[in-house]
Amino acid sequence: MGRKQQLSRRIFLYQGACLAALGSQAEIVRADLPLGSSAWITTLSDGYLSLPPEMVFGAMPQKELEELLARHQTSLSKYEPNCNVVLYRDGENTVLFDAGAGPDFMATSGKLPETFDAIGLSPDEITHVVLTHAHPDHIWGVLDGFDDPFFPKAVHLFGRKEWDYWWNPATVDSIGADRASFAAGAKRRMEAIEDQVEFFDDGQEILPGIAARAAYGHTPGHMAFEVRKGNDAVMVVGDALGNPHVAFERPGWLNGTDQDPKAAATARKSLLEQILAEQMRLVGFHLPSGGFGRVEKAGSAYRFIGEPS
Ligand SMILES: [Zn+2]
């Protein structure tokens, strides 16, 4: 059996074990994608968030928003985005993009340890944790329930700009009351993993085939990542494209979850144009279909086309 077949079979077994173990929670492992001939991207569920819709959508034109959401069979009554942690394996490195929320954020999230158990993956196998940004649902999972590093053998790769922002002791006072706990929580976790951290800058190839691509605005140093094997490429967008409807159809609308909404809107448009122009696939932390899809354009609007596995 060739390496690719072995990988394919292994992932099939992962999914089978997962579905059997978790019954109706079939979403917990989703979407395995071969990349080139020897690498795989898989998304693992960390659960989902429950956010006040007005916090996310409050600054948008409400009538048009309701019409837009209705077309996507969704409404403003609740907002529960799922959380997809991306696993990348190329036979040499086993890379996790973001660490999930850990045990202390929301009861509906922090499920990654269960997902690891369900698929027979040990946190010890992770060689690198690459952070898109330091919001709780992405970084709090670097520590377990005993405040020990959950990925003890992993190098944690952090964009320097993002690190500097959250490391700055002034941030907890300047970020605003709503997010002060985000700042304190990020700092505490960053201190705990400091010895495992390496830094990168925009444009840098951080690992073979993985390049950092600035997408500032959701947080000051938010990063996307272009993962490429030959002609095959996927953009890991993190929260730069944070939902499947408004972010694509009206990328210029200001979203309340973005710390600098105008910069985030600019980053969204730029990212969408690049993904479209280069005919890449994308995977988003809060997108449906396990986060995988591609982009189409209709007039001035874009569309997320989910690609279920
Ligand atoms: Zn998020």
Side-chain angles (χ1 to χ4, degrees), residues 4 33 50 57 59 99 132 163 174 176 182 204 259 261 268 287 300:
K4 188 172 176 185
L33 202 68
S50 184
F57 302 109
T132 61
W163 178 276
S174 64
F182 289 14
Q204 193 174 327
Q259 289 185 224
R268 265 196 298 277
L287 296 179
S300 62

Side-chain angles (χ1 to χ4, degrees), residues 72 244-251 268-274 276 295-304:
H72 289 269
H245 29 67
V246 177
F248 288 78
E249 285 199 33
R250 291 287 181 270
R268 265 196 298 277
K269 288 187 248 182
S270 155
L271 207 49
L272 283 165
E273 273 306 304
Q274 184 186 350
L276 188 72
V295 176
E296 285 183 356
K297 195 167 187 184
S300 62
Y302 301 84
R303 276 207 307 155
F304 174 71

Side-chain angles (χ1 to χ4, degrees), residues 133 137-138 239 285-286:
H133 66 296
D137 48 327
H138 299 255
D239 283 8
F285 195 87
H286 295 301

Side-chain angles (χ1 to χ4, degrees), residues 96-124:
L96 212 55
F97 290 90
D98 292 328
D104 301 327
F105 185 47
M106 283 186 190
T108 56
S109 62
K111 307 299 183 191
L112 196 63
E114 292 168 36
T115 309
F116 269 53
D117 283 348
I119 65 173
L121 181 66
S122 164
D124 284 356

Side-chain angles (χ1 to χ4, degrees), residues 6 28 52 73 78 89 106-107 119 125 131 150 153 178 186-187 200 207 215 217 224 284 286 292 297 299-300 303 308:
Q6 283 178 350
I28 206 139
Q73 284 83 48
K78 63 176 181 177
R89 288 170 289 188
M106 283 186 190
I119 65 173
E125 294 178 58
L131 281 313
F150 187 62
K153 297 181 177 165
D178 289 356
K187 183 78 184 294
F200 62 84
L207 288 167
H286 295 301
F292 277 115
K297 195 167 187 184
S300 62
R303 276 207 307 155

Side-chain angles (χ1 to χ4, degrees), residues 44-58:
L44 308 176
S45 177
D46 189 46
Y48 64 93
L49 304 181
S50 184
L51 302 176
E54 64 276 12
M55 181 189 96
V56 183
F57 302 109

